[in-house]
Amino acid sequence: MLIGALLVAFLLSIFLTPFVGKLAVKLGATDKPNERKVHIKIMPRMGGLAIFLSFFITFLIFTNDFWKQLPLLVGALVIILIGMADDIYELRAAPKFLGQVLAALIIVLWGGLEVEFINLPFFTDTLQFGIFSIPITILWIVAIINAINLIDGLDGLAGGVSTIALVTIATMALIKGDLFVAMVALTVIGSTLGFLKYNFHPAKIFMGDTGALFLGYIIAVLSLLGFKNVTMISLIVPIIILGVPISDTFFAIIRRIVNKQPISAADKSHLHHCLLNLGFTHKQTVLLIYALAACFGLAAIIFSFATMWGALILVTGLLLIIEIFVEKIGLVSSDYQPLLKMLNLKNKP
């Protein structure tokens, strides 16, 4: 059943994507080049609609309890509509954010998805979130949606990184025996891989916000379904899985604070921009970020089986490696090298 869902979604996506591309052009959902973009010609976007339709049709075929999963689908539909509206009309930040919050509210309040407590390491008591459980859950979903959206800057980048995260989630779900999470993850994997046939460099179509927001929503929800109400160690697992988009988002915020810019300000200094500036080609940059995402996915799987001290050592090592990498490529700024200076490894001018 699981392999069948992946294959059906994959074939549907390959079939539907060209039609969605033509629809995008007719609706005016096109991406025009500017100083922040790396493409040089007008491209159809809204390709994420093909990913969603492939997922939705496959889900209907393979799910055993459609009505029970209706909140997940309705939340996804809200995200798709917001993404399509943005791809066509280029919405302002406020309505996009409200749409994301609405989708999160649907899955949290109607679907009952809620992180209520965690067990703290080295303590016998649990940390109950109480009235903050719903806001924390909504914050997680909205944050991951935007993290995936922020890395959607090169052909195939967001789709590939999302696929790697979903492969990790599916693997860990199978290990835990959670067939529903595994089935949904594999269905989205198939849908995204089919789309990547047209989206990998040189792309014929972009996923747009329709795709990036949908993938972020699904990843955020599945990570909570698979790891909610568990130990602090297990709660860190989805953070590691999404290490690439979360790190890029975190350091984008740091960069804007350091440069005294608004948090919402757009720039051309994200991870993929920095790698391009270092001389890597478009395809090399994407493949390198894929490799980074795969390393995070592998680390998450190892982490989930580690002892308490082993997990803490692994997290500490990951944080150090991330910080050194960030300083080396200038993700915050060329002058931001506190750890490298301390280790006397700073980049030479």
Side-chain angles (χ1 to χ4, degrees), residues 4 16 23 50 55 59-60 81 84 110 112 120 128 136 169 171 173 179 194 216 244 248 251 272 280 333 347:
L16 291 172
L23 177 64
F55 159 76
F59 188 86
L60 291 181
L81 292 175
M84 289 177 63
W110 183 12
L120 298 172
Q128 299 285 342
I136 287 172
I169 291 172
T171 300
L179 295 182
V244 169
D248 194 25
F251 285 104
H272 53 278
F280 291 100
S333 73
N347 293 335

Side-chain angles (χ1 to χ4, degrees), residues 14 19 152 215 231 251 291 300 334:
I14 288 178
F19 294 99
D152 185 25
L215 289 175
T231 64
F251 285 104
S334 58

Side-chain angles (χ1 to χ4, degrees), residues 13 15-27 29 44-51 53 195 205-206 210:
S13 186
F15 174 75
L16 291 172
T17 299
F19 294 99
V20 170
K22 293 176 182 178
L23 177 64
V25 173
K26 287 183 178 180
L27 294 176
R45 54 187 179 191
M46 204 176 79
L49 180 61
I51 298 176
L53 290 175
F195 174 75
I205 184 173
F206 293 157
T210 309

Side-chain angles (χ1 to χ4, degrees), residues 8 17-18 23 64 78 91 131 134 163 175 188 192 206 216 223 228 234 254 266 271 290 302 304 333:
V8 169
T17 299
L23 177 64
N64 295 320
V78 169
L91 301 178
I131 61 173
I134 290 177
T163 298
I175 291 172
V188 182
T192 309
F206 293 157
S223 65
K228 68 174 184 175
S234 297
I254 297 297
L271 174 60
Y290 283 2
I302 295 172
S304 65
S333 73

Side-chain angles (χ1 to χ4, degrees), residues 102-178:
L102 176 59
L105 282 170
I106 290 170
I107 189 64
V108 171
L109 298 182
W110 183 12
L113 180 65
E114 188 177 342
V115 179
E116 298 174 348
F117 67 88
I118 55 173
N119 296 316
L120 298 172
F122 310 115
F123 294 92
T124 57
D125 295 333
T126 60
L127 176 61
Q128 299 285 342
F129 291 135
I131 61 173
F132 297 105
S133 59
I134 290 177
I136 287 172
T137 308
I138 291 172
L139 178 63
W140 168 264
I141 295 173
V142 172
I144 298 307
I145 288 173
N146 283 283
I148 298 298
N149 196 28
L150 279 176
I151 64 167
D152 185 25
L154 295 179
D155 297 352
L157 183 55
V161 170
S162 297
T163 298
I164 292 167
L166 287 163
V167 167
T168 307
I169 291 172
T171 300
M172 299 187 71
L174 288 172
I175 291 172
K176 295 177 61 178
D178 193 331

Side-chain angles (χ1 to χ4, degrees), residues 3 89 121 175 259 268:
I3 300 300
Y89 302 111
I175 291 172
N259 295 327
K268 203 170 181 178

